[in-house]
Amino acid sequence: MKMQLLTPKDMLRHNAHLVLRLLRYNAELSRSEIARMTGSSRSTISHIMQYLEEKKLVVPCGIGNKGVGRSSTLFRFNPEARYGVGIDITKDGISGIMADLQGTIIAHKKYGIGEFSPESVARQIRHIYSSLCGQVSIPQEFIVGIGVMVPGPVDSEGTVIRSVELSWQGPVNLEQLIEESAVNQTQLPPLSIINNANAKALAEACFNINNDSANIVYIENHKGLGAGFVDSHYTLLYGSSGIAMEVGKMFVHNNGVFTQADSFLVINDESVVKQLKKGFQSENPLQDEDVRLISDILAQVISQIAALFNPRKVILDVPYIQNEQSLKFIKKALLKYVNSSSLIPSPLVELPSVQRAHSALGGIAQAILHSPFDFVLKSTLSDL
């Protein structure tokens, strides 16, 4: 296999992302400190810093003197250079937030709606965007985009294939409906439609408090078993049909019958479906016996995912596993399946770090990653 050599431009992109990453998670650094920490030349760092200053992504914040040589200008990351809007659609209503490039929320709004037709939802999305803008004084040109999270499969073009939760039985071009719902043809920032499980995976990868969540699988068990896989480059893994969520995605209907879109992982045991359905439809806390049984099922799913994708971490968002005590059932069951094959690595299994109330951060991550400012979160700087 022929090794692909990195070009000078590739190296420049890599170093630029590394500089921005250092500045995001260090209070303040000088050019010489950045050069030393990255192993890059002063001239390379000066070129990158000039670019980042022009974008307002870094700003000078004082003078530093470490006691050796002359004083140097210190720089810090400026998360307020741009903002994103995330909108999360669920059966309980529509919630929206506006946040900066570091995920700090500056405005939020939630509406309960009684009518979930695609046209009504499109109008509500415009309304909630206007409400968010009314709470803050942010010029629209500083908003990189709007990420809309939908419960259901979304293809690579942003079309919602179906949504059982919202009773959308056929394809819905939600982006077009939002554009057409304008009363006075008000121009919106770029729109991006994404499946909610995928968006939550992006939120964990991009805004995790420990900043260590790239190469993860995010699994949620609510209306079905939804999942999203984010690789080490903060990119969603897409299935063969162009739907980016399929690591065992199931849609479970009220009669217990499930349909499957496009999947890397097939679960077709009716008893499994019934147990998962029991878990997310139960109004009362599950007994330990039920939790153990469902945990065993999820452990099998995780072990298969580990064999296929070797993720570093699996995030579980399920209503009946909300603390470390209940999480231990899955960890214990997982050891049984992982140990059965020395070829299967055991991923970390954790609860979500992004609060459920802030799940719309996933929409913001999607908006940023589909904007010219994607390099703030990703490992490339495409427009240098």
Side-chain angles (χ1 to χ4, degrees), residues 30 68 79 100 226 241 247 254 267 307 384:
S30 67
V68 178
D100 65 20
S241 70
V247 185
N254 291 333
I267 302 174
L384 256 183

Side-chain angles (χ1 to χ4, degrees), residues 45-57:
I45 295 302
S46 294
H47 175 54
I48 293 171
M49 292 298 290
Q50 180 182 357
Y51 174 84
L52 295 176
E53 279 192 273
E54 289 173 356
K55 294 287 187 182
K56 309 296 185 187
L57 288 168

